[in-house]
Amino acid sequence: MEKKPSITHVILTGGVGSRLWPLSRKSQPKQYLDLFEGKSLFEITVERNRTIADKIMVVGNIDNCHLSRQVMEKSNAPYLDIIESTPRNTAAAIAFAAFASQPDDILIVTPSDHIIDGIEPYETAIHEAVEKASKGFIVTFGIIPTKPETGYGYIERKGDDVISFREKPNKVTATDFIAKGNFLWNSGMFCFKASVLLEELNKFYPEVYEKSKIAWDTNSNGNLDLDLSLEIPSISIDYAVMERSKKIKVVSSTFTWSDLGSFESVYDYLVSKGHPVDNNGNMVIGTNNYTAFVGLKNTIFVYTDTANLILQKERSQDVKNIYSDLERQHSNLLN
């Protein structure tokens, strides 16, 4: 009888959610905000995969590991904590998880800040991915698009073969992708055997492999040394492996998915859950104070104790510019 592979859910918790400022701050990034029916995106992510995976790993950084720990203690789920002393992008983060695993372990890698509805199609996609990973493929999850979204990357495919990965397009290009019918949203979720991922990383980006291994081999209870970590090139797994390897397959998925990377996507999600909007599509987030909109349509008012944001829903991607300006000013409003 064939031995069932051990499945590990690897949760990546980096990122500050700059396009969701002022809700998302360095001290409380978006994945830890209890905005979603009293739960955070991180907590929902843990719950979603508990029945699928045998083990959980959390790869985060020194600044947010205490927030992850609070969620994991609340969920009462045993896990391995990998704590980066400095962010080195997703290639290193995923490499650490693979080094911490047995060679034949299958890893399901997901960000901690995505929302997914439709558990049956999600589990179907996971099982298909695990089957492909068992055969030595590195699997990415592509979401069948519902609109020409400019905030996501795209996967061009033929069947389950990946032809190319595309950066976030402009509106014209995104519309063209949708019309062609063989493009999927790139979910940033992956599935693979630990050994296969490490082999491909070593083949295409040996410096990341070698420097990450040195840092991992000297870890202390999952804590990584700062000086050794700074030696690791900061590069995404997409550039390091996914765009180069010949072992990539894509699972085309129908579950409802959003990376909630902008206030437009948060708005759409909250509307689907019954959050109030006025007759002109205006929404208030963060306060129950009476708020009136005059002469405005599709406007989002975001309230916090120290900063407010007023934006047109369609301009949600531009919030990152405010974050960047505040960063240049070393503003405390980011903390």
Side-chain angles (χ1 to χ4, degrees):
M1 187 174 173
E2 191 177 346
K3 186 185 175 188
K4 184 175 176 283
S6 177
I7 297 174
T8 301
H9 178 207
V10 179
I11 307 174
L12 305 180
T13 70
V16 295
S18 57
R19 286 175 292 170
L20 291 188
W21 181 89
L23 288 181
S24 185
R25 310 284 184 108
K26 290 179 179 178
S27 61
Q28 191 86 2
K30 69 169 181 175
Q31 58 267 32
Y32 302 107
L33 299 172
D34 292 336
L35 280 178
F36 307 94
E37 298 170 339
K39 295 181 179 178
S40 68
L41 292 171
F42 185 104
E43 186 176 353
I44 294 168
T45 301
V46 173
E47 290 178 356
R48 183 186 306 126
N49 291 282
R50 283 186 77 165
T51 59
I52 296 167
D54 305 299
K55 292 180 281 188
I56 301 173
M57 288 185 196
V58 177
V59 186
N61 59 56
I62 195 73
D63 295 325
N64 68 15
C65 63
H66 65 288
L67 298 171
S68 298
R69 199 170 294 126
Q70 288 170 13
V71 176
M72 296 308 297
E73 287 172 356
K74 181 180 174 184
S75 72
N76 205 27
Y79 72 107
L80 175 65
D81 206 4
I82 299 175
I83 303 170
E84 297 180 289
S85 52
T86 183
R88 302 318 286 161
N89 215 315
T90 52
I94 291 172
F96 296 141
F99 283 128
S101 305
Q102 295 300 312
D104 285 340
D105 286 356
I106 290 177
L107 276 52
I108 299 168
V109 180
T110 75
S112 61
D113 57 357
H114 292 184
I115 200 82
I116 289 172
D117 281 331
I119 198 65
E120 282 188 23
Y122 175 75
E123 290 185 349
T124 298
I126 291 288
H127 291 312
E128 184 181 340
V130 167
E131 186 179 336
K132 291 180 189 297
S134 301
K135 296 174 181 175
F137 293 108
I138 298 173
V139 183
T140 183
F141 294 80
I143 312 299
I144 296 172
T146 56
K147 61 179 179 177
E149 173 63 58
T150 60
Y152 302 151
Y154 284 74
I155 299 168
E156 183 183 10
R157 53 93 183 225
K158 184 176 182 180
D160 66 354
D161 291 323
V162 174
I163 298 171
S164 68
F165 290 91
R166 303 293 186 94
E167 294 292 328
K168 295 173 183 177
N170 59 32
K171 197 75 171 180
V172 173
T173 304
T175 303
D176 184 49
F177 287 171
I178 302 299
K180 286 182 176 173
N182 66 324
F183 282 81
L184 305 168
W185 288 337
N186 187 351
S187 72
M189 293 167 32
F190 310 101
C191 182
F192 47 77
K193 275 186 188 176
S195 58
V196 173
L197 186 282
L198 290 174
E199 285 164 11
E200 295 296 274
L201 179 62
N202 194 25
K203 181 191 296 185
F204 295 111
Y205 226 109
E207 189 180 2
V208 172
Y209 175 93
E210 290 160 8
K211 297 288 176 65
S212 297
K213 189 172 192 312
I214 291 168
W216 176 251
D217 286 347
T218 59
N219 84 85
S220 174
N221 296 320
N223 290 268
L224 297 159
D225 180 79
L226 176 58
D227 290 335
L228 292 176
S229 296
L230 287 169
E231 295 285 317
I232 304 169
S234 180
I235 186 170
S236 73
I237 196 68
D238 291 25
Y239 289 130
V241 174
M242 304 303 290
E243 295 181 5
R244 304 178 183 215
S245 174
K246 302 299 183 192
K247 296 184 176 181
I248 309 300
K249 293 288 185 183
V250 62
V251 169
S252 174
S253 310
T254 59
F255 53 82
T256 302
W257 169 89
S258 172
D259 71 352
L260 292 183
S262 71
F263 276 111
E264 182 170 15
S265 54
V266 170
Y267 177 103
D268 291 342
Y269 175 77
L270 291 177
V271 166
S272 76
K273 296 299 181 182
H275 191 91
V277 294
D278 70 12
N279 292 334
N280 291 311
N282 300 307
M283 176 183 284
V284 177
I285 298 174
T287 179
N288 291 320
N289 290 346
Y290 176 76
T291 305
F293 298 84
V294 179
L296 298 172
K297 288 186 176 181
N298 298 325
T299 299
I300 306 171
F301 172 62
V302 184
Y303 173 88
T304 72
D305 288 341
T306 56
N308 299 328
L309 176 69
I310 302 164
L311 71 150
Q312 291 291 154
K313 178 162 68 81
E314 295 76 15
R315 299 296 296 272
S316 292
Q317 298 294 333
D318 296 344
V319 175
K320 193 169 186 177
N321 298 334
I322 299 171
Y323 189 96
S324 298
D325 287 342
L326 292 170
E327 204 163 33
R328 282 190 289 272
Q329 299 166 27
H330 305 291
S331 173
N332 286 330
L333 291 173
L334 299 183
N335 297 326

